[in-house]
Amino acid sequence: MAWKTLDDMELDGKRVLTRVDINVPVENGEVTDATRIERVCATVQDILARGGTPVLLAHFGRPKGKVVPEMSLKMLLPALEAAFGTKVHFATLDEADGVIDACDKGHVVLLENTRFEPGEEKNDPELAKTYAKLGDVYCNDAFSAAHRAHASTEALAHLLPACAGRLMQAELEALEAALGTPKRPVLAVVGGAKVSTKLELLGNLVEKVDLLVIGGGMANTFLAAQGLDVGKSLCEHDMTGTAKEIAEKAASTGCEILLPRDVVVAREFRENAPSEVVKAEECPADAMILDAGPDSVAHVEQAIDRAETLIWNGPLGAFEIAPFDTATNAAAAHAAKATASGKLVSVAGGGDTVAALNKAGASDDFTYISTAGGAFLEWMEGKVLPGVAALG
C-alpha cells in the first residue's frame, strides 16, 4: 500500500486533524441514524488511546460557502459525545486555536462545518494552510468524501504528515482485495435502473472481472439490445447500441455476461401486484419486467459458487416492494452464506445496495460493505480518488 495508516504515526501529545464523514440524517435537531458517527469511533478512540487530540473536520449538507445556522455541526455534539464516551468541544475556525489549546487530554474538538468556508470546495491552498496551522498530523477517515478535491480532503494532506484513519484503511484494503489483487474468478453483480449512469463502471469491470451479472432495469436495456421485446419495462432504448458495445468488449476480454433467463412481469408497479414468471424472450407487450425469475436466480447462485471474489453494486429487481425483492434477497442470502463459510470474499457498496442487502438480512455476513456511494463507484470505475492519492 502506498499510503500510511495511524500505525505509522507518532501521536502522543499531537493535535491530529481528522477528516471524518458525519453527514448524518437529522430531524428536528435529533440524529435519526448514527451509523456514520459510529464508524468514526475506532479512529477517534485510537488517537485518544495514544495520547493525541482528535480535531475533527467535517461537512454537513450543502451550504455552498455560506454560514447556514441549521447546518451547524453544533447540533451533532450530543450524538458524538454519546458515541465517543468523552467530552467534545465545539469551535469555529476563528476560535479553533484557543479551544484546542485549552482542550483537556482525552477530549475531542469538533470544528464548524468545513463547507461554511468559501474556499473549501475550491480546494483553496490558503484555507488548507489555515487548517494546517491547527495540527501536527493529518488523518483522513472520510473515504466517502475522497472523490472530492476539497481543502480538507486534498490540499491539507500535502501540508502535514498524512495517513488514513481506520475506516479509510478498512475501505481501501477491502477494495484492494476486490479489484486490485483479487482471488479469481471475480464476479461482479451490477444492478440498478439505468445503463447510462453506470457506463464507465461496466466498461471498467468487463476488463477486470471474469463474470458479470447485470440486473435491474439495466438488464432490460441489454435484453432489448439482443432484439427482445421488453414490453412496458423500464428500458433505455437509446442505449441499446452502447449495451451491444459493452457485450462485445466483454466477449473480447473473456468476461462472461449473465442476463436474466426468465423474468417476473406485472401490469402495474405496486406492492403485491398480480405477477407471473415468463421466459426473458416472452415478455407480454402490456407488461413490465420487475424482477429476475427463479431460473435466473439459480444461474446467479451458480456464478456465486464458482467465484472466489464478489463485488456487488445495485439490486436485481424492484427490491423496494414485494414480491419483486425475491431475486435480490435470494442471491444476497446465497452470497452471505458463501462468505460466512469462508469460500468467498464479498464487497458491496452504493446507496441502494446497502439498503437492499440490509433488507435481505445479508449485510452482516458480507466481508465488507461500503457506505461511500459516489467514492465507491468512482473507485470501481477505475478512477483516481484525489483524497486517497493525496495520502500517497
Side-chain angles (χ1 to χ4, degrees):
M1 294 290 177
W3 34 271
K4 291 181 171 167
T5 71
L6 282 168
D7 298 323
D8 302 307
M9 297 291 163
E10 177 54 54
L11 302 179
D12 194 25
K14 307 282 194 209
R15 299 167 157 202
V16 186
L17 294 179
T18 310
R19 181 60 166 94
V20 293
D21 181 1
I22 48 176
N23 195 14
V24 292
V26 172
E27 273 175 38
N28 305 319
E30 297 279 320
V31 175
T32 56
D33 180 354
T35 306
R36 283 183 163 171
I37 290 173
E38 286 154 13
R39 289 192 132 192
V40 173
C41 286
T43 294
V44 170
Q45 262 133 20
D46 202 355
I47 295 166
L48 289 172
R50 287 168 55 200
T53 299
V55 179
L56 306 185
L57 295 163
H59 72 276
F60 186 88
R62 294 187 174 156
K64 305 210 179 296
K66 296 186 178 73
V67 175
V68 181
E70 58 270 27
M71 292 185 192
S72 171
L73 291 181
K74 205 167 191 175
M75 64 183 165
L76 302 184
L77 288 175
L80 291 170
E81 290 184 337
F84 301 157
T86 190
K87 176 75 181 160
V88 180
H89 303 271
F90 179 77
T92 63
L93 195 51
D94 296 337
E95 305 162 341
D97 211 23
V99 172
I100 300 167
D101 259 349
C103 180
D104 291 337
K105 209 163 186 146
H107 289 183
V108 176
V109 177
L110 171 68
L111 298 192
E112 182 56 287
N113 194 338
T114 56
R115 290 188 184 170
F116 283 3
E117 302 297 327
E120 167 67 3
E121 294 184 69
K122 295 174 183 153
N123 203 18
D124 177 24
E126 292 308 312
L127 177 59
K129 283 178 193 166
T130 304
Y131 289 144
K133 285 177 190 156
L134 301 173
D136 306 299
V137 173
Y138 174 71
C139 171
N140 192 342
D141 208 31
F143 179 80
S144 48
H147 58 315
R148 312 262 188 235
H150 290 174
S152 68
T153 61
E154 204 276 338
L156 177 55
H158 299 286
L159 302 177
L160 293 171
C163 68
R166 295 305 182 204
L167 179 57
M168 173 82 95
Q169 180 185 349
E171 190 99 33
L172 293 176
E173 285 171 354
L175 295 178
E176 179 65 21
L179 267 187
T181 48
K183 289 184 180 169
R184 293 195 172 275
V186 181
L187 163 66
V189 173
V190 180
K194 296 182 173 181
V195 173
S196 53
T197 59
K198 296 197 177 173
L199 271 182
E200 291 180 80
L201 173 62
L202 294 171
N204 187 43
L205 288 178
V206 295
E207 293 181 352
K208 295 199 174 162
V209 306
D210 306 291
L211 301 150
L212 174 60
V213 170
I214 297 177
M218 293 169 57
N220 302 336
T221 304
F222 277 82
L223 294 173
Q226 294 182 347
L228 304 189
D229 183 357
V230 294
K232 293 187 173 173
S233 308
L234 175 65
C235 176
E236 292 177 286
H237 291 283
D238 58 331
M239 297 296 292
T240 53
T242 306
K244 276 184 192 161
E245 284 166 24
I246 291 168
E248 284 161 13
K249 188 177 178 183
S252 72
T253 59
C255 170
E256 183 186 335
I257 291 184
L258 284 68
L259 292 172
R261 298 175 168 197
D262 59 346
V263 292
V264 180
V265 299
R267 269 73 185 175
E268 52 186 329
F269 180 61
R270 65 171 172 84
E271 189 100 17
N272 297 317
S275 61
E276 59 189 304
V277 177
V278 298
K279 287 182 179 170
E281 60 272 21
E282 292 173 4
C283 175
D286 66 339
M288 52 189 151
I289 298 169
L290 293 175
D291 201 10
D295 187 28
S296 302
V297 172
H299 200 205
V300 173
E301 289 176 349
Q302 286 163 7
I304 291 169
D305 292 340
R306 284 160 62 192
E308 297 245 347
T309 303
L310 167 67
I311 305 159
W312 189 312
N313 174 256
L316 297 178
F319 79 98
E320 304 90 345
I321 58 173
F324 311 114
D325 55 352
T326 305
T328 302
N329 290 349
H334 198 80
K337 192 176 171 189
T339 308
S341 71
K343 293 178 189 162
L344 187 70
V345 171
S346 52
V347 176
D352 275 0
T353 312
V354 178
L357 296 180
N358 284 343
K359 193 165 181 260
S363 301
D364 289 350
D365 285 322
F366 266 62
T367 309
Y368 191 80
I369 293 195
S370 168
T371 53
F376 179 81
L377 266 179
E378 289 197 17
W379 178 284
M380 284 178 70
E381 287 166 4
K383 291 178 181 168
V384 173
L385 306 184
V388 175
L391 298 178

